[in-house]
Amino acid sequence: MSLGICSRSKDVVEPVLRPQWFVNCKPMADRAVEAVEKGELQLIPESHKTTWYHFLRNVHPWCISRQLWWGHRIPAYFVQHTGSPILPEECSDEKLWVVAKTEEEALKIAAERFPNADPSSYKVVQDPDVLDTWFSSGLFPFSTLGWPNEEHPDFKKFYPTSILETGHDILFFWVARMVMMGLQLTDKLPFTQVFLHALVRDRFGRKMSKSLGNIIDPLDVIHGIPLEVLHEKLRTGNLDPSELKVAIE
């Protein structure tokens, strides 16, 4: 039997079924496909169009909720009655959830949805779940520029931009989602060209990354470094002890 153990807390990891938030990506994905087909968005090199079309033409609903301690909170509030219950026929879970920017806005929506209920008999409680990291990352091109205020000087000056340069391994995870969300929320492509470069890999064919501990400092490549010092960097880094021997060899 295999028993999952959390690497941080050392607790036993147990699967728990619970409701999640999903986004229907099909309409957004169709627009992203169309943008490349029409030449409005250019992928460089063009060989990556195959991956683009494969992912977006076969897209599934996206689970965007995460049960973590960090991240952007889901902007959804549950209408919870504290006094006399809301009318039974109005109490389906679907109707008791409201999506809003603030608690005040959520209370206003709840009052409109349940006009016969005494406002003092309920409160709204924000969902503790947070957004998937890739969802938050997909907002990056415009969320840092004053959006949703599209009259903000930064938004007007810097959005959209012209070119994005990134590794091809996150074409769908990040690039496609930035395009989908840019088109959906601003009606504009966040950029018109995507330059996808190759990946730097170690001798095992794995992508070099800090989490794997298989990276090399570019300055050490330029100026040189003794093998013993390189090994010492591995020992004092964040590499898992089980990986240390393999990395040194």
Side-chain angles (χ1 to χ4, degrees):
M1 182 180 75
S2 178
L3 188 65
I5 303 294
C6 176
S7 61
R8 294 177 183 241
S9 67
K10 308 307 178 186
D11 293 323
V12 175
V13 178
E14 299 181 70
V16 177
L17 291 176
R18 56 169 296 156
Q20 304 286 355
W21 292 98
F22 287 82
V23 170
N24 176 16
C25 295
K26 187 65 169 62
M28 295 188 292
D30 289 344
R31 293 188 69 182
V33 167
E34 185 180 26
V36 172
E37 288 178 332
K38 289 184 175 180
E40 297 168 354
L41 177 63
Q42 183 182 10
L43 301 181
I44 307 169
E46 291 194 350
S47 57
H48 291 292
K49 283 184 178 181
T50 303
T51 303
W52 184 266
Y53 293 144
H54 172 74
F55 275 126
L56 294 175
R57 285 172 176 161
N58 298 282
V59 73
H60 296 286
W62 177 14
C63 178
I64 61 167
S65 48
R66 297 290 182 272
Q67 294 72 53
L68 301 172
W69 290 107
W70 55 90
H72 294 134
R73 286 278 294 278
I74 297 279
Y77 296 80
F78 190 75
V79 182
Q80 189 177 80
H81 54 80
T82 55
S84 57
I86 298 172
L87 296 178
E89 64 269 19
E90 298 177 324
C91 282
S92 67
D93 272 359
E94 184 177 347
K95 292 199 69 174
L96 290 174
W97 281 104
V98 297
V99 176
K101 295 177 183 177
T102 63
E103 182 177 331
E104 291 73 22
E105 184 178 323
L107 282 168
K108 182 179 179 181
I109 296 173
E112 294 171 352
R113 187 172 296 178
F114 306 108
N116 298 323
D118 181 356
S120 64
S121 68
Y122 60 84
K123 63 180 180 178
V124 292
V125 180
Q126 187 174 3
D127 193 322
D129 286 2
V130 299
L131 291 167
D132 173 24
T133 301
W134 290 115
F135 188 100
S136 297
S137 301
L139 301 172
F140 176 77
F142 48 89
S143 64
T144 58
L145 302 175
W147 181 85
N149 177 15
E150 297 191 7
E151 294 302 314
H152 191 285
D154 288 346
F155 185 90
K156 295 176 72 173
K157 183 175 182 179
F158 298 111
Y159 187 84
T161 186
S162 55
I163 187 169
L164 171 76
E165 175 271 329
T166 187
H168 67 77
D169 58 322
I170 53 176
L171 177 61
F172 176 72
F173 294 108
W174 190 37
V175 181
R177 283 163 172 165
M178 284 192 286
V179 170
M180 288 194 297
M181 297 173 78
L183 289 170
Q184 178 69 22
L185 299 174
T186 72
D187 203 33
K188 298 176 183 177
L189 285 167
F191 31 75
T192 54
Q193 289 184 310
V194 179
F195 180 76
L196 299 155
H197 59 68
L199 305 180
V200 179
R201 301 179 185 273
D202 63 14
R203 69 190 183 101
F204 300 105
R206 301 178 303 178
K207 175 184 175 181
M208 285 193 171
S209 71
K210 288 182 289 184
S211 59
L212 285 176
N214 60 351
I215 60 173
I216 298 176
D217 189 332
L219 293 178
D220 294 337
V221 176
I222 295 170
H223 302 297
I225 182 174
L227 181 60
E228 293 76 13
V229 179
L230 190 60
H231 285 172
E232 186 57 30
K233 284 192 174 186
L234 286 172
R235 295 188 182 95
T236 57
N238 65 346
L239 196 61
D240 188 278
S242 63
E243 290 282 335
L244 183 59
K245 183 179 179 182
V246 176
I248 290 178
E249 291 175 350

